[in-house]
Short mmCIF file of all heavy atoms in Angstrom, two decimals:
data_model
loop_
_atom_site.label_atom_id
_atom_site.label_comp_id
_atom_site.label_asym_id
_atom_site.label_seq_id
_atom_site.Cartn_x
_atom_site.Cartn_y
_atom_site.Cartn_z
N PRO O 387 143.64 53.41 27.94
CA PRO O 387 144.94 53.44 27.28
C PRO O 387 145.45 54.86 27.06
O PRO O 387 144.67 55.80 26.86
CB PRO O 387 144.65 52.76 25.94
CG PRO O 387 143.21 53.08 25.66
CD PRO O 387 142.55 53.07 27.01
N VAL O 388 146.77 55.01 27.12
CA VAL O 388 147.43 56.25 26.72
C VAL O 388 148.55 55.89 25.74
O VAL O 388 149.14 54.81 25.83
CB VAL O 388 148.00 57.04 27.92
CG1 VAL O 388 146.88 57.59 28.78
CG2 VAL O 388 148.94 56.18 28.76
N PRO O 389 148.85 56.76 24.78
CA PRO O 389 149.80 56.41 23.73
C PRO O 389 151.25 56.54 24.17
O PRO O 389 151.56 57.02 25.27
CB PRO O 389 149.46 57.42 22.63
CG PRO O 389 148.99 58.62 23.38
CD PRO O 389 148.24 58.08 24.56
N ALA O 390 152.15 56.19 23.25
CA ALA O 390 153.58 56.25 23.54
C ALA O 390 154.03 57.67 23.83
O ALA O 390 155.02 57.88 24.56
CB ALA O 390 154.37 55.67 22.36
N GLU O 391 153.34 58.66 23.25
CA GLU O 391 153.73 60.05 23.47
C GLU O 391 153.61 60.46 24.94
O GLU O 391 154.26 61.43 25.38
CB GLU O 391 152.87 60.99 22.62
CG GLU O 391 153.17 60.93 21.13
CD GLU O 391 152.53 59.73 20.44
OE1 GLU O 391 151.80 58.96 21.10
OE2 GLU O 391 152.75 59.58 19.22
N ALA O 392 152.78 59.78 25.70
CA ALA O 392 152.62 60.08 27.13
C ALA O 392 153.81 59.47 27.87
O ALA O 392 153.73 58.36 28.41
CB ALA O 392 151.30 59.52 27.65
N ALA O 393 154.90 60.19 27.92
CA ALA O 393 156.17 59.63 28.39
C ALA O 393 156.66 60.29 29.68
O ALA O 393 157.81 60.07 30.09
CB ALA O 393 157.24 59.78 27.31
N GLU O 394 155.80 61.08 30.32
CA GLU O 394 156.20 61.73 31.58
C GLU O 394 155.00 61.74 32.51
O GLU O 394 153.86 61.94 32.08
CB GLU O 394 156.68 63.15 31.30
CG GLU O 394 157.25 63.87 32.51
CD GLU O 394 157.87 65.21 32.12
OE1 GLU O 394 159.06 65.22 31.73
OE2 GLU O 394 157.16 66.23 32.18
N ILE O 395 155.25 61.50 33.80
CA ILE O 395 154.19 61.47 34.81
C ILE O 395 154.36 62.65 35.75
O ILE O 395 155.46 62.91 36.25
CB ILE O 395 154.25 60.15 35.63
CG1 ILE O 395 154.03 58.94 34.74
CG2 ILE O 395 153.23 60.18 36.77
CD1 ILE O 395 152.64 58.82 34.17
N LEU O 396 153.26 63.34 36.00
CA LEU O 396 153.20 64.37 37.03
C LEU O 396 152.38 63.83 38.19
O LEU O 396 151.21 63.49 38.04
CB LEU O 396 152.56 65.66 36.49
CG LEU O 396 152.29 66.76 37.54
CD1 LEU O 396 153.59 67.31 38.08
CD2 LEU O 396 151.44 67.87 36.94
N ASP O 397 153.02 63.76 39.34
CA ASP O 397 152.40 63.29 40.58
C ASP O 397 152.58 64.40 41.61
O ASP O 397 153.14 65.45 41.31
CB ASP O 397 153.11 62.00 41.00
CG ASP O 397 152.41 61.26 42.12
OD1 ASP O 397 151.27 61.60 42.44
OD2 ASP O 397 153.03 60.34 42.69
N THR O 398 152.11 64.20 42.83
CA THR O 398 152.37 65.16 43.89
C THR O 398 152.83 64.44 45.15
O THR O 398 152.55 63.26 45.36
CB THR O 398 151.14 66.02 44.23
OG1 THR O 398 150.06 65.16 44.61
CG2 THR O 398 150.72 66.88 43.06
N THR O 399 153.55 65.19 45.97
CA THR O 399 153.93 64.72 47.29
C THR O 399 153.45 65.76 48.29
O THR O 399 152.95 66.82 47.90
CB THR O 399 155.45 64.53 47.39
OG1 THR O 399 155.78 64.02 48.69
CG2 THR O 399 156.20 65.84 47.16
#
Side-chain angles (χ1 to χ4, degrees):
V388 292
E391 289 80 3
E394 186 173 274
I395 298 292
L396 173 66
D397 191 12
T398 57
T399 183

